[in-house]
Amino acid sequence: MVVMARALAIEGHLPQASKLLAQVIRARRRTLGAQSPELAVPLSVLAEVRMRSAMALASSGGSPTFDQSQLLQSADVLLDLALRLGAGGEVSARQRALQLSNSADVLVSLGRSMEAVGRIDEAVAAFQSVGLSATRLEVVDLGTLRSKALLHAGRAADAEITARTAVALMADACPDAAPTSDTACAAAGRALAALGRSLLALQRHGEAEATFRAADSRLTASLGAA
């Protein structure tokens, strides 16, 4: 039922997913107890559903609302509980990092950009907390998101520095002549696009144009790489 709920959430059926997860959580609490590790997965998926709900509200184009903040706070509480019940193993650390990244994206949409930066830094720490090394692609995507948040906060110079760090990590991952993988090229393209946006905000139009061309090249390569 948890797998079904996650599938419903991915398809955008958030109320149905939330209702199904609530049923699972109630049943497991009743039969296994409130501290059972078996609650960790459905609680974390419910946190994801709350996060998706907040993102859906944020993408509707309206002003930040109490409901968005409440959903985000609820997702944090659920995820923290899931992590405690799951004993904080490797999978939980990775999931925590990904949830923090999603949370940061929502915070940017809500206009709370510096909070988003804090979440991103927490995400990196979550990868490292149990000795789990983040992959290069994950680090790059976190850097790209951090640059976006800083740009939204009006800190274009800091956004440029962060984006350049992400771009440098991908320098050899997607060469023009022989793209290595679709995921690597896509990550490189996203990092370059973030750098281009920061350069544009700094009114360095020539550099921005060249960077956007490089980003387009990597993103196009990502469609053709095997």
Side-chain angles (χ1 to χ4, degrees), residues 68-173:
Q68 291 168 335
S69 296
Q70 193 175 48
L71 284 165
L72 192 60
Q73 186 176 35
S74 173
D76 283 341
V77 171
L78 288 167
L79 185 59
D80 286 341
L81 178 57
L83 290 170
R84 287 199 300 273
L85 293 175
E90 180 174 312
V91 173
S92 294
R94 182 177 292 276
Q95 188 173 36
R96 175 65 171 166
L98 295 173
Q99 289 284 357
L100 284 164
S101 296
N102 290 337
S103 173
D105 214 0
V106 175
L107 285 167
V108 171
S109 299
L110 295 175
R112 293 156 56 180
S113 299
M114 293 315 297
E115 287 182 66
V117 171
R119 295 294 178 94
I120 293 163
D121 292 342
E122 282 185 63
V124 174
F127 278 120
Q128 298 171 342
S129 63
V130 291
L132 177 65
S133 297
T135 67
R136 177 162 57 171
L137 296 182
E138 287 166 329
V139 171
V140 167
D141 279 336
L142 286 170
T144 300
L145 183 58
R146 193 176 194 275
S147 178
K148 175 184 176 181
L150 287 166
L151 192 59
H152 277 254
R155 294 173 54 177
D158 290 333
E160 180 195 357
I161 292 170
T162 298
R164 285 194 183 280
T165 300
V167 169
L169 286 170
M170 299 303 294
D172 63 345

Side-chain angles (χ1 to χ4, degrees), residues 28-29 32-40 43 81 84-86:
R28 292 190 184 183
R29 279 179 174 157
L32 302 172
Q35 301 302 313
S36 171
E38 295 298 318
L39 287 165
L43 284 169
L81 178 57
R84 287 199 300 273
L85 293 175

Side-chain angles (χ1 to χ4, degrees), residues 79 197 217:
L79 185 59
R197 287 190 292 271
S217 172

